[in-house]
Amino acid sequence: MNKENLPSEEFRSPRNVMKPDVRSAMIGANSIEQFHTNIKDYQLGEHVDEKIRIQYDTVRNLYVHAYYVYRFFPIVKHQLYVTLEHALRECIGEKTLDKYRKDKNKQMSKNSPRFTRGLKLCMTYVVEHNLIKNEDFSVWKRVKEQRAEEEYQKKILDIMISENLESYEWNEADIDYENVNYDYNYVNVITETTAGLRNSLAHGSTMLSPTPLVTFDIVSTVINKVYERSKELC
């Protein structure tokens, strides 16, 4: 198929509605199956309310259809954050969140910005109540593993230098993945960024880029873990 004949910005007709957006090939996607494979493993568990799972799967379906309409991507990202906030509000409860908001605002100094009834409040609540943790997230775990391997590599180099060795066998069992010093607070970064990104999309934005799969990873992980650890609340 000639890429020059593929649709991009125009309003689709019944004749070309199922043709891939020309920009899909530009990001290395050559089939609808590839889009489906990208997203199929980012699921919500059966322990999450069905109405939340339906909303989330609607977003996943929209992601798959971004193969045909590239401009679906910002809508996908926005709806992910909408679904995240809805899930947290449903699980934690409006009364609990409202009391938490009032208590937090009372603790703040006079000139500090106040919490509103938004995603930032929900995320702050789940972090403070240990409903999500750094080790829940694949990105954090992957970087921690890299740190452990870097420290092991440095240890090997030191031994080789001190003992004047030309080679040294890499032993996976000697890498201390558990006790490596890695204190990056990923949950705080998520808390500080998700609300701002959601608001920029909700209030209008010209940003146009593929929704990164890490966003699905973050949202699905937060929802799954909060529901898992808050059974008495949900």
Side-chain angles (χ1 to χ4, degrees):
M1 185 181 292
N2 187 343
K3 290 189 174 108
E4 292 182 359
N5 296 327
L6 293 178
S8 57
E9 302 288 5
E10 70 270 25
F11 178 63
R12 302 302 180 85
S13 71
R15 293 177 58 188
N16 71 358
V17 69
M18 295 304 292
K19 286 186 177 181
D21 193 303
V22 65
R23 288 164 291 194
S24 293
M26 295 178 183
I27 61 172
N30 298 310
S31 69
I32 189 72
E33 289 80 10
Q34 185 175 343
F35 266 55
H36 184 269
T37 299
N38 288 346
I39 203 68
K40 67 182 178 66
D41 291 333
Y42 297 102
Q43 304 177 41
L44 297 185
E46 292 293 324
H47 61 294
V48 177
D49 283 351
E50 182 182 19
K51 60 186 174 183
I52 301 300
R53 286 187 278 116
I54 290 172
Q55 284 189 38
Y56 180 78
D57 281 343
T58 299
V59 181
R60 290 206 297 168
N61 285 330
L62 187 58
Y63 175 91
V64 173
H65 282 79
Y67 175 70
Y68 301 111
V69 182
Y70 192 86
R71 284 192 178 273
F72 282 170
F73 277 125
I75 304 171
V76 167
K77 196 165 189 176
H78 176 235
Q79 286 303 122
L80 271 175
Y81 292 137
V82 170
T83 303
L84 174 60
E85 182 175 347
H86 186 191
L88 297 182
R89 299 187 78 83
E90 283 287 320
C91 186
I92 300 166
E94 295 291 347
K95 290 184 178 179
T96 299
L97 281 171
D98 201 42
K99 181 180 183 304
Y100 176 73
R101 178 181 62 83
K102 292 175 181 177
D103 290 343
K104 291 291 288 184
N105 287 339
K106 285 179 182 177
Q107 297 169 11
M108 292 181 175
S109 61
K110 184 177 180 180
N111 296 323
S112 297
R114 295 299 190 259
F115 277 101
T116 59
R117 295 181 177 89
L119 182 56
K120 178 71 175 292
L121 175 73
C122 296
M123 290 297 296
T124 303
Y125 179 95
V126 298
V127 170
E128 287 196 359
H129 289 78
N130 292 317
L131 298 178
I132 57 172
K133 304 173 184 179
N134 287 320
E135 53 267 31
D136 295 331
F137 298 92
S138 60
V139 171
W140 187 89
K141 288 188 287 189
R142 186 163 59 249
V143 177
K144 182 183 178 184
E145 288 174 359
Q146 291 173 353
R147 177 68 60 83
E149 289 168 1
E150 288 169 0
E151 290 193 2
Y152 177 66
Q153 186 175 28
K154 184 179 181 301
K155 177 182 176 181
I156 288 176
L157 289 173
D158 289 342
I159 293 174
M160 290 178 66
I161 292 170
S162 65
E163 299 183 13
N164 197 27
L165 300 176
E166 293 185 0
S167 64
Y168 192 96
E169 184 177 355
W170 180 282
N171 188 346
E172 187 83 12
D174 289 340
I175 304 175
D176 191 354
Y177 288 109
E178 289 299 319
N179 298 311
V180 62
N181 184 21
Y182 183 66
D183 58 1
Y184 181 65
N185 202 329
Y186 190 58
V187 294
N188 279 359
V189 174
I190 294 171
T191 300
E192 292 299 322
T193 56
T194 50
L197 289 169
R198 182 261 173 89
N199 290 340
S200 69
L201 292 164
H203 298 151
S205 172
T206 59
M207 181 176 64
L208 182 61
S209 63
T211 300
L213 294 177
V214 68
T215 307
F216 278 94
D217 186 36
I218 290 169
V219 170
S220 60
T221 299
V222 171
I223 295 174
N224 279 325
K225 289 301 181 181
V226 169
Y227 268 82
E228 178 185 314
R229 292 172 178 145
S230 305
K231 290 180 180 179
E232 72 278 6
L233 298 176
C234 302

